[in-house]
């Protein structure tokens, strides 16, 4: 199993550009989520999904869209990049969203917006 | 804002010494998880605590969950250079969302 994969590893965007961060998992996990990590802020939840066709907002959803058409994939779209979106983005998955579900994280995407 | 607070933000430890990082929530948690992130890496799950007053050990690491299920701690004894990294707690306050603390970044002096 590859676990949770993310592409690209690094990306530089100009303000106003759009792009999609890819996330895939091969563990048949129902729950997937996106976090951003900024210095001193920990991991903040952007969007999450409890299964194919179901998504919901997290703590910091503005400027981001998600969809979940399959169990395996959970792409994150930046609609119009802003310098405030410079961050490290992590995708995570778990079997479910219950009490006993550990999160498996991908390797991350380092995004710089100039 | 962040529902789970974690202190200290930084911990500089002499090799061989002990240290503790603390996690506090303003609301009752259904569980708390701990993760470790090595420099340049991604968070990796360490442990989960569910029961009030629960204590779990992993070698030199001791994890505790408070009686009121609003706080937790991670205590590391005899710190080694392999303990370098950032330790995060993450509290689940409802069925679908984890709220992460800001993390404690640990450096070790040999």
């Amino acid at each position: 199993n590859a676990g949770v994969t993310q592409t690209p590893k690094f990306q530089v965007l100009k303000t106003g550009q759009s792009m999609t961060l890819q996330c895939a998992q091969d563990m048949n996990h129902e729950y997937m989520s996106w976090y951003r990590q900024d210095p001193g802020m920990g991991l903040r939840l952007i969007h999450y999904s409890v299964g194919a066709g179901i998504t919901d907002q997290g703590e910091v959803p503005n400027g981001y869209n998600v969809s979940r058409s399959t169990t395996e994939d959970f792409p994150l779209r930046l609609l119009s990049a802003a310098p405030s979106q410079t961050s490290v983005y992590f995708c995570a998955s778990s079997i479910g969203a219950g009490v006993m579900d550990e999160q498996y994280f991908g390797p991350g995407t380092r995004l710089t917006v100039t | 804002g962040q529902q789970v607070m974690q202190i200290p933000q930084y911990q500089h430890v002499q090799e061989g010494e002990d240290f503790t990082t603390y996690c506090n929530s303003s609301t009752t948690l259904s569980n708390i998880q701990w993760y470790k992130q090595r420099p340049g890496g991604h968070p990796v799950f360490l442990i989960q605590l569910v029961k009030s007053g629960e204590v779990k050990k992993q070698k030199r690491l001791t994890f505790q969950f408070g009686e009121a299920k609003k706080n937790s701690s991670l205590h590391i004894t005899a710190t080694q250079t392999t303990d370098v990294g950032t330790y995060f707690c993450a509290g689940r306050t409802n069925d679908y969302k984890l709220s992460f603390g800001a993390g404690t970044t640990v450096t070790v002096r040999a």
Side-chain angles (χ1 to χ4, degrees):
Chain A
N1 286 354
V4 180
T5 57
Q6 290 183 240
T7 56
K9 284 187 168 51
F10 301 93
Q11 183 71 50
V12 179
L13 290 178
K14 296 190 176 180
T15 298
Q17 288 185 316
S18 63
M19 80 158 295
T20 299
L21 307 185
Q22 301 292 343
C23 174
Q25 53 90 11
D26 61 359
M27 298 175 282
N28 202 32
H29 285 174
E30 289 296 321
Y31 183 88
M32 296 185 75
S33 54
W34 277 100
Y35 294 89
R36 59 176 290 172
Q37 183 174 30
D38 303 293
M41 302 291 289
L43 293 149
R44 292 183 291 169
L45 182 65
I46 305 172
H47 285 285
Y48 66 96
S49 169
V50 299
I54 306 169
T55 64
D56 205 346
Q57 296 181 349
E59 184 184 353
V60 288
N62 292 342
Y64 308 95
N65 273 356
V66 292
S67 60
R68 184 96 180 270
S69 56
T70 66
T71 299
E72 294 78 18
D73 300 300
F74 191 43
L76 177 72
R77 296 184 190 84
L78 279 70
L79 308 173
S80 177
S84 61
Q85 292 178 306
T86 293
S87 188
V88 180
Y89 291 84
F90 288 102
C91 178
S93 74
S94 63
I95 294 173
V99 175
M100 300 298 292
D101 295 326
E102 67 179 271
Q103 302 289 306
Y104 293 81
F105 284 84
T109 295
R110 292 183 179 274
L111 176 67
T112 302
V113 183
T114 61
Chain B
Q2 214 150 25
Q3 295 178 303
V4 175
M5 306 304 294
Q6 191 173 354
I7 56 170
Q9 187 174 359
Y10 298 100
Q11 185 79 55
H12 307 290
V13 188
Q14 181 73 39
E15 191 173 14
E17 290 184 341
D18 303 352
F19 74 91
T20 303
T21 173
Y22 300 90
C23 201
N24 293 289
S25 171
S26 56
T27 59
T28 302
L29 303 171
S30 58
N31 69 39
I32 195 150
Q33 300 177 354
W34 285 89
Y35 292 80
K36 178 182 179 180
Q37 183 179 25
R38 295 185 186 276
H42 59 275
V44 174
F45 177 82
L46 292 176
I47 207 159
Q48 179 166 260
L49 305 170
V50 180
K51 299 176 184 176
S52 170
E54 189 170 13
V55 178
K56 288 188 176 180
K57 292 189 176 184
Q58 288 181 349
K59 297 183 180 177
R60 296 178 295 103
L61 279 60
T62 300
F63 303 84
Q64 289 189 311
F65 201 9
E67 294 291 341
K69 299 183 75 173
K70 287 186 175 182
N71 58 74
S72 181
S73 65
L74 160 59
H75 181 76
I76 299 182
T77 58
T79 304
Q80 300 176 357
T81 55
T82 53
D83 296 323
V84 164
T86 300
Y87 294 83
F88 293 99
C89 61
R92 195 178 291 280
T93 52
N94 62 39
D95 283 343
Y96 302 127
K97 298 180 185 177
L98 274 179
S99 179
F100 278 79
T104 294
T105 298
V106 176
T107 55
V108 179
R109 300 188 301 272

